[in-house]
């Protein structure tokens, strides 16, 4: 199907929802406030497809900034279904990737003295060393831990993007000195860090109007997904590019799902866009995901009124409360022995998730499931594959292809090649470079089919046959080569850690049915049934949450995110006589009318 026909079909489908239809056809600045399950990703991708087909003339394109790379992959996949395939016309990626690949890499060399000629992104050890050197330079032999104080400096660095304002030195001037000394040490070593990327891009765009003009010429429209999660640096870039630089803005977000305050996210930034002249506000009120009972429960979890509605013909959905005598271990045992098997029986061939506050709780669930021989996929911070690492995700995708994905093109080879080129070259690659990487990659992948290798041996060969040569020609300043060494170490057969390649790739029968995830990692995802584990008083909210009104509100939003993940059934597990205080309101609201 051509992209025009696919787009026409998508637009006709959205015509059944006037709010979505208005949003995707808007040709001015537009902010879409999208509640859980309201079809915001469909709205966003259809709006992008319509803009590329109808509004933007080739070779111009659009840019879309997402919260993480998983979101970017999802958007690319959905756009492909509309006949819009990844190309140089469009950028889809994180704000850090946008800053690095679309601003810093192409234009930094045009600004004398801005960055070292061959800069790269610092690794963890190099960042820690720079913190310690900067601390001694500013504070001397202070009794405080340099890294503890750096935590406060990081917060200031992310919040106060524009250093020309009086607040930069007027508030906590010692922290400003600390940050500047840290950045100077990085530059002395030819380095930048992750947080540098949007900050440097902001200064470049603010100081040089020709960069704004160049970006607008290439990307006349800027799309932003999950705006409430992206923080002050992204907000300042949006103000520069869209309200001073002339790009059109299409932003999607939900302040009720802002749960990343520790990274600098601020839900008020999304709200502030609505107060700007010329911005159209569209609210998506229909929840296509969940039944009415779960929608009512979610409003109790949030503790605020919203005008969300389910579909008239949607099932009510089920909600159950499981009280367990005992703490986290007993609750994890009950999930493995009773709760999860019952959900799996009621939802054959469907996806069930166990969600929890922190990765250490995931360890307890994983141990209980292992004891009962229940397969699962884990996506929290203690998972073997670190979802935040592009190289780790690429390795996992290659393993999935070799372990059987090649039969149904899942993942498609074109995606693997695109990931490889991004890892090696960062931005654009020449035709000869792309051909060379493609030859190496397809030869390696094909050699693994039917080879019977375990993960450890396959990873070692991956290092020898691909990464060894790629490192020699790499131009990507954000290198993650050490991640592969970590994977090799964590599958060491001498420590009884090795596994079959299909298990490493998550391609075993039933493994995709049960997901273990933190509440943070589950944001943006949906499941047929969800178990909320450890919803105890003292866990959510914790004593730390109660130290400030802002932290308490964010913890409640986190609880709300968990309650809004299921399509059909929600099970809440807590210690007998010790449940979260928010559960009572959730229970009361679930029994009422919307």
């Amino acid at each position: 199907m051509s992209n025009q026909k696919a787009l026409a079909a998508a637009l006709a489908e959205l015509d059944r929802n006037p709010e979505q239809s208005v949003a995707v056809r808007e040709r001015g600045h537009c902010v879409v406030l999208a509640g859980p399950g309201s079809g915001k990703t469909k709205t966003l991708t259809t709006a992008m497809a319509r803009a590329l087909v109808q509004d933007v003339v080739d070779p111009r394109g659009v840019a879309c900034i997402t919260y993480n790379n998983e979101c970017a992959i999802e958007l690319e996949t959905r756009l492909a279904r509309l006949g819009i395939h990844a190309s140089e016309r469009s950028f889809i990626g994180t704000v850090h990737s946008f800053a690095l690949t679309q601003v810093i890499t192409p234009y930094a060399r045009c600004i004398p003295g801005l960055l070292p000629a061959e800069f790269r992104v610092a690794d963890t050890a190099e960042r820690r060393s720079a913190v310690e050197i900067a601390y001694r330079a500013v504070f001397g032999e202070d009794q405080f831990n340099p890294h503890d104080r750096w935590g406060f400096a990081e917060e200031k660095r992310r919040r106060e993007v524009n250093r020309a304002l009086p607040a930069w030195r007027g508030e906590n001037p010692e922290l400003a000195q600390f940050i500047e000394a840290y950045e100077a040490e990085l530059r002395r070593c030819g380095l930048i860090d992750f947080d540098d990327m949007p900050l440097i891009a902001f200064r470049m765009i603010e100081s040089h109007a020709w960069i704004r003009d160049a970006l607008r010429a290439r990307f006349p429209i800027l799309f932003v997904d999950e705006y409430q999660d992206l923080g002050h640096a992204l907000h300042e870039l949006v103000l520069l590019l869209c309200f001073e630089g002339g790009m059109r803005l299409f932003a999607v977000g939900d302040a009720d799902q802002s749960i990343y305050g520790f990274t600098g996210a601020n839900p008020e930034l999304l709200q502030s866009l609505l107060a700007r002249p010329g911005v159209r506000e569209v609210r998506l009120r229909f929840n296509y995901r969940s039944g009415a009972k779960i929608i009512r429960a979610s409003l109790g979890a949030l503790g605020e009124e919203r005008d969300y509605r389910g579909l008239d013909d949607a099932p009510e959905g089920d909600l159950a409360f499981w009280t367990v005598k005992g703490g986290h271990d007993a609750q994890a045992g009950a999930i493995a022995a009773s709760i999860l098997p019952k959900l799996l029986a009621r939802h054959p061939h469907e996806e069930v998730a166990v969600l929890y506050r922190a990765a250490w709780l995931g360890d307890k669930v994983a141990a209980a499931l292992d004891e009962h021989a229940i397969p699962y996929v884990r996506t929290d911070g203690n998972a073997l594959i670190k979802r935040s690492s592009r190289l780790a995700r690429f390795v996992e995708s290659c393993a999935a292809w070799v372990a059987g994905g090649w039969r149904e093109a899942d993942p498609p080879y074109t995606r693997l090649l695109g990931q490889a080129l991004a890892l090696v070259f960062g931005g654009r690659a020449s035709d000869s470079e792309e051909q060379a990487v493609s030859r190496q990659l397809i030869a390696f992948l094909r050699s693994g089919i039917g080879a019977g290798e375990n993960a450890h041996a396959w990873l070692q060969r991956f290092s020898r046959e691909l990464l060894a040569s790629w490192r020699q020609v790499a131009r990507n300043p954000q290198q993650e080569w050490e991640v592969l060494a970590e994977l090799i170490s964590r599958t060491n057969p001498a420590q009884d850690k090795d596994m079959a390649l299909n298990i490493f790739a998550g391609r075993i029968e039933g493994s995709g049915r049960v997901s273990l995830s933190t509440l943070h990692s589950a944001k943006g995802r949906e499941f047929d049934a969800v178990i909320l584990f450890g919803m105890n008083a003292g866990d959510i909210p914790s004593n730390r949450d109660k130290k400030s009104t802002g932290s308490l509100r964010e913890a409640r939003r986190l609880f709300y995110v968990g309650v809004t993940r299921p399509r059909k059934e929600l099970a809440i597990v807590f210690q007998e006589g010790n449940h979260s205080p928010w559960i009572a309101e959730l229970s009361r609201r679930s029994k009422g009318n919307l």
Side-chain angles (χ1 to χ4, degrees):
M1 184 185 294
S2 68
N3 54 18
Q4 290 90 348
K5 290 183 179 179
L7 174 61
L11 290 171
E13 183 179 352
L14 292 189
D15 282 342
R16 297 196 292 267
N17 183 320
E19 298 155 347
Q20 290 178 320
S21 182
V22 165
V24 300
R25 288 176 168 84
E26 175 61 42
R27 284 181 162 84
H29 295 315
C30 184
V31 174
V32 180
L33 302 180
S38 61
K40 67 97 176 168
T41 304
K42 179 185 288 187
T43 303
L44 176 63
T45 51
T46 306
M48 289 179 64
R50 193 202 63 75
L52 284 166
V53 172
Q54 297 179 356
D55 293 352
V56 181
V57 178
D58 194 3
R60 303 179 85 191
V62 302
C64 181
I65 293 177
T66 67
Y67 180 72
N68 57 36
N69 288 304
E70 294 295 311
C71 295
I73 292 171
E74 174 67 15
L75 292 176
E76 288 177 354
T77 301
R78 293 204 185 199
L79 281 170
R81 295 175 193 152
L82 296 175
I84 307 293
H85 297 280
S87 71
E88 291 187 355
R89 283 191 70 196
S90 59
F91 167 88
I92 303 176
T94 65
V95 64
H96 299 87
S97 178
F98 179 83
L100 182 63
T101 65
Q102 307 303 313
V103 183
I104 298 172
T105 299
Y107 303 125
R109 287 182 174 85
C110 302
I111 304 173
L114 178 66
L115 288 175
E118 299 299 328
F119 72 89
R120 63 178 177 81
V121 180
D123 61 27
T124 301
E126 289 165 332
R127 293 195 302 271
R128 290 182 64 86
S129 175
V131 165
E132 291 162 6
I133 291 171
Y135 184 85
R136 289 194 295 271
V138 174
F139 300 106
E141 295 300 326
D142 196 285
Q143 69 269 26
F144 293 105
N145 184 316
H147 302 286
D148 289 343
R149 185 167 286 191
W150 179 246
F152 295 101
E154 278 186 311
E155 183 178 345
K156 179 179 177 68
R157 190 179 181 214
R158 290 170 180 158
R159 184 182 64 250
E160 298 175 17
V161 178
N162 189 346
R163 297 184 183 176
L165 298 178
W168 174 249
R169 293 200 175 278
E171 299 176 7
N172 295 315
E174 285 189 336
L175 287 184
Q177 286 182 272
F178 190 11
I179 293 165
E180 290 168 352
Y182 165 79
E183 291 173 348
E185 176 60 20
L186 287 184
R187 303 298 182 270
R188 188 186 68 79
C189 299
L191 302 170
I192 66 173
D193 73 0
F194 199 62
D195 284 338
D196 263 324
M197 296 175 192
L199 297 174
I200 293 170
F202 169 80
R203 291 171 207 148
M204 291 172 65
I205 294 168
E206 182 191 38
S207 302
H208 301 279
W210 61 268
I211 298 179
R212 291 199 291 270
D213 294 339
L215 290 169
R216 185 183 69 250
R218 186 175 181 195
F219 304 124
I221 308 175
L222 176 65
F223 292 85
V224 183
D225 189 21
E226 303 286 10
Y227 197 98
Q228 76 283 347
D229 290 333
L230 290 163
H232 291 266
L234 179 277
H235 184 67
E236 295 294 338
L237 284 174
V238 164
L239 297 183
L240 278 176
L241 292 173
C242 299
F243 297 99
E244 294 185 32
M247 285 186 182
R248 185 208 301 174
L249 174 66
F250 188 101
V252 180
D254 180 9
D256 292 337
Q257 297 185 72
S258 180
I259 57 174
Y260 291 99
F262 58 91
T263 66
N266 182 349
E268 294 178 1
L269 300 178
L270 173 63
Q271 298 295 335
S272 72
L273 290 179
L274 302 174
R276 301 191 70 88
V279 174
R280 182 164 193 170
E281 175 185 339
V282 179
R283 292 180 180 269
L284 304 185
R285 297 178 300 110
F286 284 93
N287 185 323
Y288 294 93
R289 176 188 301 157
S290 305
K293 181 178 287 188
I294 294 175
I295 298 173
R296 291 194 299 265
S298 72
L299 298 180
L302 184 64
E304 297 181 24
E305 293 299 323
R306 297 290 183 268
D307 60 347
Y308 297 140
R309 295 289 183 270
L311 299 179
D312 292 338
D313 57 350
E316 272 273 292
D318 293 318
L319 173 63
F321 300 94
W322 291 80
T323 59
V324 178
K325 292 182 179 180
H328 296 118
D329 291 319
Q331 293 165 50
I335 288 172
S338 180
I339 303 170
L340 184 56
K342 289 178 180 178
L343 284 179
L344 292 172
R346 285 199 295 272
H347 300 278
H349 313 298
E350 295 181 328
E351 192 174 8
V352 178
V354 183
L355 308 182
Y356 34 84
R357 184 82 191 261
W360 65 268
L361 290 169
D363 294 341
K364 295 182 179 298
V365 180
L369 297 187
D370 288 339
E371 186 176 337
H372 287 77
I374 299 175
Y376 57 86
V377 172
R378 190 170 180 181
T379 59
D380 62 27
N382 287 350
L384 176 62
I385 302 294
K386 302 295 185 185
R387 310 303 296 180
S388 59
S389 164
R390 293 184 303 163
L391 177 57
R393 287 195 312 275
F394 173 62
V395 171
E396 181 187 36
S397 296
C398 288
W401 195 93
V402 171
W406 59 272
R407 295 187 181 92
E408 58 268 20
D410 180 25
Y413 176 73
T414 53
R415 179 183 296 171
L416 296 180
L417 178 58
Q419 288 177 302
L421 294 171
L423 284 167
V424 180
F425 301 112
R428 300 177 183 178
S430 67
D431 289 344
S432 61
E433 289 171 334
E434 180 173 338
Q435 291 167 8
V437 168
S438 183
R439 283 195 300 270
Q440 292 172 315
L441 178 60
I442 195 64
F444 172 76
L445 293 174
R446 285 175 173 168
S447 67
I449 297 174
E453 291 174 297
N454 276 0
H456 187 74
W458 182 83
L459 288 166
Q460 288 181 313
R461 196 162 60 82
F462 191 109
S463 180
R464 291 194 307 271
E465 298 179 17
L466 290 184
L467 253 59
S469 60
W470 288 356
R471 293 180 71 165
Q472 301 302 313
V473 298
R475 291 197 303 273
N476 181 5
Q478 188 177 352
Q479 298 172 5
E480 300 178 314
W481 311 125
E482 71 279 0
V483 170
L484 185 60
E486 181 184 351
L487 288 173
I488 291 172
S489 174
R490 294 178 69 180
T491 56
N492 189 347
Q495 299 176 16
D496 198 27
K497 294 180 178 180
D498 203 2
M499 64 192 74
L501 190 61
N502 64 327
I503 295 176
F504 174 83
R507 295 187 67 92
I508 55 175
E509 182 64 31
S511 67
R513 293 195 59 202
V514 178
S515 294
L516 306 187
S517 174
T518 61
L519 292 165
H520 283 96
S521 296
K523 185 171 176 297
R525 302 175 66 189
E526 59 183 50
F527 309 91
D528 295 289
V530 166
I531 300 170
L532 294 184
F533 162 52
M535 299 295 106
N536 310 305
D539 288 330
I540 188 162
S542 67
N543 290 331
R544 185 175 181 180
D545 295 327
K546 298 173 184 176
K547 289 183 177 180
S548 72
T549 301
S551 296
L552 189 61
R553 291 175 64 185
E554 181 161 311
R556 186 144 195 174
R557 293 196 295 267
L558 184 64
F559 183 55
Y560 172 71
V561 165
V563 172
T564 56
R565 295 311 93 196
R567 287 185 280 263
K568 299 177 181 179
E569 187 164 359
L570 174 64
I572 302 179
V573 181
F574 49 85
Q575 185 175 17
E576 185 177 30
N578 189 41
H579 61 69
S580 167
W582 298 329
I583 287 177
E585 188 171 351
L586 179 153
S587 176
R588 179 182 61 80
R589 287 296 302 269
S590 69
K591 299 170 184 176
N593 296 317
L594 280 175

